[in-house]
Amino acid sequence: MDSPTASQCSFPDLRDVFPGCSSYEDLYNLSIKETDLFWGTLARMSLRWNRDFEHVSNCNMESGLFRWFLGGKLNVSVNCVDRHKEKDPDRVALIWEKDEPGQEERITYGQLYTMMNQVANVLKTHGVKKGDRVAIYMPACPLAVASMLACARIGAVHSVVFAGFSAEALASRINDAEATVVITADQGCQSHFVAKRTGSLVVSSTLDVDLDEAMAKESGECEPAVMDSEDLLFMLYTSGSTGNPKGVVHSQAGYLLYASLTQRLVFDCKEGDIFGCVADIGWITGHSYVVYGPLANGVTTVLFESTPTYPDPGRYWETVQRLKINQFYAAPTAIRLLLKHGDEHVEKYDLGSLRTLGSVGEPINVEAWQWYNKVVGKEKCVVVDTWWQTETGGICISPRPSAPDAEIHPGMPMRPMYGIWPVIVGEKGEELKGNDVTGALCLKKPWPGMARTIYGAHSRFLETYYQPFRGFYFTGDGAIRHKDGYYQITGRMDDVINVTGHRLGTAEVENALGQHPSVAESAVVGYPCNDKGEGIYAYVTLKDGFLAGVKMETELRGIVRQKIAAYAVPDVIQICAGLPKTRSGKIMRRILRKVAADQTENLGDISTLADPAVVKDLIANHQTIK
Ligand code: ATP
Ligand code: MG
């Protein structure tokens, strides 16, 4: 690990903090064996407290009750803004990369401080109090960040709703959160603050408040509310890949500590770095790695408002060159999309500023990982496949932190973060010990960034995460612990395919298909089949310039036979124009399962589906199973 000095960075090198530890292994063992010592020391050292905490943790995996830093008082916005503004008000906090390239705006910590306080005062003037829920429905922009921080300043609970959602999806999230206020932007991007009195979405002009005008009337100073470590900070909906989205709740201190520690250690981020996470602020990745993590660490964070292909597929790399981004963090769906468009869009740009390349959201197939590493990273960057969830608050499994020269294998997150204890659990709920085992991925030890509940649905919280396997947090994902002890995600447990008694993870088959030169993306699901329990149905999209045909299908089957085994060979291959994805870019296999089984009358909750036309096309071209 590189060692920034304490004065350069709000987090000193952990080896200096825990002098008996000289390696990742030492620190990891300490974090597992002496959990309270580990997290308590880091919390005191890296956060500013109004009152010190009395106990580090009081957690119970059996009952699903989690409390961290009990008795401590702090304010998250002070930790993210005031601390850095006091030291250096002119340091750039945000770079707003707008839709049009070359129009970026820079906001310093001093400016962000004033903006946040003005929004906080507007909220207070309109009667918003500690504990009230505020919905934020805005694209990535400085005012959206200021609004999140303004809530934290006064102790209101924000619920950011992805700005691409329909009014209906917004309305259901407002109702679910019982939000009293919505902060939104109109189409011309002139900001509005819409105060609401009823539970339904009625945007009446008498309730509209022009946010810019209201802010101009308010002071740029606002006394921060003194919050308890366990008061709610925000709620946020999951992506809805497997069903009805869950309104996950995070609290103050534990979340902030975990988001900021992982942001610094996984990405090797130091003060002065420009951190480019291109996720929307409407997802947990945007919360932890666009807003809270980087700001708590005092670095410059990029707010990316555009899309990977506007005005052309070189957009990310032109942005990296122009803004001199040091760490770049994106989703596999975007990487696969750009790979499909060819290397020339990357090669035009100087990407010499990059040191770390991150991936999150889905398993990254080996082909996409290699492309990211070679074509984007020129084999000089550290590539980190990071596994985590809305519920985990921050990255839980990732190749770093570890020694700078520790090996990295393509397409797997490999090693647990400090304090994270992954276990593989078998069908009967038993922990599978040793290496070379496959099963349900669970976490055995509580960590500060973990979700505290599902808003208004604590019993759903317990049923989903703590009751399936007693004593463990169940992630819903499957994983392999390889011979060398490294973790690889095999896909969702709901999606596991059972072929003649063999349990197959979707990612395994998709990885194999992805190695064929023509394949851009693939998604594999099971369908009911009398002979073997389940049959395998593969949906495949092709790279530009390739055409479907019998020869290609034979080759695709051959590659799966060679890489995995004969039983894993797809029975059906449907070449398609696109795959159904959530708004955050994840493949919705549950819809593909319905199409494969020819049961398309009821597709379930599709409120987070990005493009319904894709589903129509899949149904129209559905291959009848012989
Ligand atoms: P829902 O819970 O509503 O079905 P979701 O699980 O897609 O939606 P998120 O919290 O946004 O909602 O995503 C977390 C999930 O994303 C993980 O459980 C895992 O399935 C997948 N995931 C995230 N990162 C990785 C990764 N690096 N490798 C494999 N899978 C990943
Ligand atoms: Mg999930």
Side-chain angles (χ1 to χ4, degrees):
M1 239 178 297
D2 213 287
S3 47
T5 62
S7 61
Q8 270 178 321
C9 197
S10 48
F11 280 117
D13 189 307
L14 296 199
R15 290 172 305 186
D16 299 337
V17 181
F18 301 104
C21 297
S22 59
S23 64
Y24 159 80
E25 286 76 18
D26 290 347
L27 284 163
Y28 179 74
N29 290 337
L30 178 83
S31 73
I32 296 297
K33 289 188 191 130
E34 304 264 6
T35 306
D36 281 6
L37 169 77
F38 183 82
W39 290 117
T41 307
L42 289 176
R44 287 202 173 93
M45 178 164 281
S46 48
L47 300 181
R48 181 185 288 182
W49 295 88
N50 290 73
R51 196 173 90 195
D52 191 14
F53 46 90
E54 287 146 23
H55 299 285
V56 175
S57 68
N58 179 9
C59 298
N60 188 325
M61 284 279 198
E62 299 274 336
S63 63
L65 185 85
F66 306 103
R67 299 280 177 268
W68 284 89
F69 311 117
L70 291 87
K73 304 270 184 200
L74 81 172
N75 184 284
V76 165
S77 79
V78 167
N79 277 280
C80 289
V81 185
D82 301 33
R83 290 198 286 176
H84 314 305
K85 174 236 162 200
E86 287 161 13
K87 218 161 87 184
D88 183 5
D90 297 329
R91 183 190 300 169
V92 176
L94 312 173
I95 304 180
W96 181 16
E97 175 65 13
K98 297 186 200 174
D99 200 22
E100 280 308 319
Q103 307 278 307
E104 74 271 13
E105 271 183 40
R106 288 177 165 75
I107 311 286
T108 64
Y109 276 94
Q111 290 167 324
L112 182 59
Y113 175 83
T114 305
M115 202 189 272
M116 156 185 87
N117 284 336
Q118 285 176 325
V119 180
N121 285 327
V122 170
L123 292 172
K124 271 172 129 177
T125 302
H126 286 80
V128 178
K129 294 183 302 301
K130 207 168 174 170
D132 286 352
R133 270 83 50 215
V134 173
I136 299 174
Y137 183 56
M138 291 170 125
C141 65
L143 205 46
V145 176
S147 299
M148 293 165 75
L149 295 165
C151 291
R153 189 117 190 132
I154 65 170
V157 179
H158 62 69
S159 169
V160 181
V161 179
F162 173 57
F165 276 138
S166 64
E168 200 182 318
L170 171 64
S172 78
R173 283 161 177 74
I174 292 170
N175 286 332
D176 189 39
E178 301 163 300
T180 50
V181 153
V182 182
I183 304 176
T184 183
D186 69 9
Q187 274 199 318
C189 241
Q190 189 200 357
S191 303
H192 280 248
F193 163 77
V194 185
K196 279 177 38 62
R197 299 211 182 103
T198 61
S200 60
L201 183 70
V202 186
V203 184
S204 127
S205 58
T206 53
L207 293 178
D208 282 12
V209 175
D210 186 304
L211 185 55
D212 291 324
E213 273 176 28
M215 282 170 68
K217 289 187 203 141
E218 299 287 351
S219 148
E221 295 292 335
C222 174
E223 190 60 30
V226 176
M227 304 301 289
D228 192 273
S229 294
E230 281 299 336
D231 282 335
L232 307 195
L233 176 62
F234 66 84
M235 53 182 293
L236 182 67
Y237 292 87
T238 56
S239 295
S241 307
T242 54
N244 187 6
K246 301 168 276 272
V248 168
V249 170
H250 283 285
S251 58
Q252 315 265 331
Y255 169 78
L256 190 66
L257 175 65
Y258 197 72
S260 55
L261 185 74
T262 49
Q263 193 267 334
R264 196 179 84 78
L265 296 183
V266 170
F267 296 96
D268 179 32
C269 190
K270 303 179 174 77
E271 276 192 10
D273 279 353
I274 300 185
F275 189 77
C277 167
V278 292
D280 189 88
I281 55 157
W283 311 118
I284 191 68
T285 309
H287 279 52
S288 301
Y289 300 112
V290 177
V291 181
Y292 288 112
L295 293 180
N297 288 328
V299 302
T300 299
T301 178
V302 176
L303 290 171
F304 187 77
E305 196 196 59
S306 193
T307 62
T309 50
Y310 181 77
D312 63 53
R315 177 57 186 269
Y316 280 163
W317 322 121
E318 187 272 327
T319 305
V320 167
Q321 173 182 286
R322 182 162 33 82
L323 304 184
K324 301 197 171 46
I325 289 174
N326 302 112
Q327 293 88 6
F328 182 80
Y329 195 24
T333 182
I335 298 163
R336 290 191 292 258
L337 174 75
L338 298 179
L339 176 160
K340 182 173 156 173
H341 283 286
D343 301 357
E344 63 276 17
H345 298 286
V346 192
E347 282 159 1
K348 276 196 254 177
Y349 301 102
D350 174 3
L351 305 181
S353 58
L354 287 172
R355 297 203 312 270
T356 312
L357 297 173
S359 163
V360 61
E362 286 185 297
I364 178 165
N365 51 303
V366 171
E367 153 99 0
W369 192 100
Q370 299 284 19
W371 185 83
Y372 205 26
N373 182 37
K374 287 195 182 125
V375 180
V376 179
K378 318 285 185 246
E379 295 185 269
K380 288 189 181 127
C381 292
V382 174
V383 180
V384 286
D385 172 14
T386 64
W387 176 90
W388 61 296
Q389 312 177 294
T390 309
E391 298 86 342
T392 68
I395 295 164
C396 290
I397 310 183
S398 154
R400 295 285 188 268
S402 54
D405 55 354
E407 61 181 348
I408 297 188
H409 294 201
M412 57 172 94
M414 303 180 73
R415 286 181 274 263
M417 172 65 197
Y418 301 133
I420 299 294
W421 187 349
V423 288
I424 305 285
V425 175
E427 274 169 65
K428 295 187 198 91
E430 76 287 14
E431 182 181 337
L432 303 176
K433 301 268 172 70
N435 291 341
D436 204 10
V437 286
T438 305
L441 176 66
C442 293
L443 304 178
K444 193 169 169 171
K445 211 171 191 22
W447 66 104
M450 67 200 306
R452 302 300 193 257
T453 188
I454 295 177
Y455 191 81
H458 195 65
S459 53
R460 185 177 177 201
F461 177 73
L462 298 176
E463 275 159 30
T464 312
Y465 309 112
Y466 294 99
Q467 284 164 5
F469 302 109
R470 281 200 80 78
F472 301 127
Y473 165 79
F474 173 48
T475 67
D477 292 339
I480 304 178
R481 185 166 52 233
H482 284 288
K483 288 194 184 67
D484 44 21
Y486 297 142
Y487 291 88
Q488 180 168 21
I489 308 299
T490 52
R492 315 267 181 169
M493 287 306 284
D494 287 359
D495 294 333
V496 167
I497 307 170
N498 197 331
V499 194
T500 51
H502 297 281
R503 291 170 65 78
L504 256 180
T506 51
E508 286 175 82
V509 187
E510 290 159 13
N511 234 326
L513 290 169
Q515 314 231 336
H516 190 275
S518 68
V519 174
E521 203 163 30
S522 67
V524 168
V525 296
Y527 64 88
C529 169
N530 289 340
D531 300 348
K532 28 183 210 171
E534 275 186 297
I536 302 177
Y537 196 117
Y539 298 83
V540 174
T541 69
L542 301 181
K543 286 185 201 155
D544 288 353
F546 286 93
L547 287 175
V550 177
K551 181 169 168 282
M552 179 185 294
E553 285 197 21
T554 311
E555 286 174 9
L556 289 175
R557 291 192 165 91
I559 235 170
V560 177
R561 188 175 296 109
Q562 183 206 337
K563 302 268 172 200
I564 311 176
Y567 69 83
V569 171
D571 300 271
V572 186
I573 296 178
Q574 180 172 341
I575 305 291
C576 47
L579 298 171
K581 293 197 179 162
T582 64
R583 299 266 180 171
S584 57
K586 291 155 191 265
I587 298 168
M588 279 170 125
R589 287 185 191 73
R590 62 189 162 96
I591 293 188
L592 295 173
R593 263 201 305 271
K594 296 247 176 173
V595 176
D598 211 1
Q599 293 166 353
T600 49
E601 314 76 52
N602 176 14
L603 292 175
D605 185 333
I606 53 164
S607 64
T608 65
L609 181 65
D611 181 6
V614 169
V615 181
K616 276 199 193 133
D617 179 68
L618 288 174
I619 296 173
N621 294 302
H622 169 245
Q623 309 280 307
T624 319
I625 296 154
K626 288 156 210 123

